[in-house]
């Protein structure tokens, strides 16, 4: 590993977790497809579910059930239940995440996930 870069004036770095440090697309797709199975719907591809990600769980569920008349207020807790049960099955750090965090730490920067 090369020397840590100079971060003049920077005291810390804030990260978003999902989609920045970790790739959770497969586990989100699993939760979406278990939710869809609850409503007797066909599963969606990981690519399709990935296109629905953004703006939080409620919007993901709304997009995933857009072809139904399902009550979103009832579906969101079901989705969260499925995701809680499978959120670490396939989720992993993106390549380079560990090295980047180590370099920031070595440079004396504080890091936080928000």
């Amino acid at each position: 590993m090369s020397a840590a870069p100079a971060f003049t004036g920077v005291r810390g770095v804030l990260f978003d977790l999902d989609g920045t440090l970790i790739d959770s697309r497969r586990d989100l797709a699993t939760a979406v497809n278990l939710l869809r199975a609850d409503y007797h719907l066909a599963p969606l591809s990981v690519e399709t579910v990935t296109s629905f990600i953004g703006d939080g769980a409620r919007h993901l569920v709304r997009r995933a059930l857009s072809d139904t008349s399902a009550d979103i207020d009832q579906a969101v807790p079901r989705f969260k239940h499925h995701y809680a049960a499978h959120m670490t099955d396939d989720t992993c750090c993106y390549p380079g995440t560990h090295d980047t965090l180590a370099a920031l730490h070595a440079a004396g920067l504080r890091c936080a996930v928000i």
Side-chain angles (χ1 to χ4, degrees), residues 46-59:
V46 172
E47 293 77 18
T48 298
V49 174
T50 299
S51 75
F52 295 161
I53 296 172
D55 308 316
R58 183 174 185 78
H59 290 286

Side-chain angles (χ1 to χ4, degrees), residues 18-114:
D18 216 0
T20 302
L21 299 176
I22 63 168
D23 180 356
S24 59
R25 293 174 295 172
R26 292 193 183 286
D27 291 334
L28 286 167
T30 295
V32 162
N33 286 324
L34 289 169
L35 175 66
R36 287 180 60 84
D38 289 346
Y39 292 95
H40 308 288
L41 301 168
L44 301 171
S45 69
V46 172
E47 293 77 18
T48 298
V49 174
T50 299
S51 75
F52 295 161
I53 296 172
D55 308 316
R58 183 174 185 78
H59 290 286
L60 173 58
V61 169
R62 183 180 48 76
R63 293 169 183 137
L65 297 178
S66 65
D67 55 344
T68 74
S69 60
D71 183 317
I72 300 303
D73 290 328
Q74 292 177 1
V76 169
R78 294 175 86 144
F79 166 77
K80 288 181 177 182
H81 170 79
H82 291 309
Y83 187 56
H86 297 280
M87 64 194 278
T88 59
D89 292 353
D90 294 307
T91 293
C92 59
C93 289
Y94 283 110
T97 298
H98 292 282
D99 291 341
T100 298
L101 293 174
L104 293 171
H105 178 72
L109 296 175
R110 294 180 181 207
C111 296
V113 176
I114 54 170

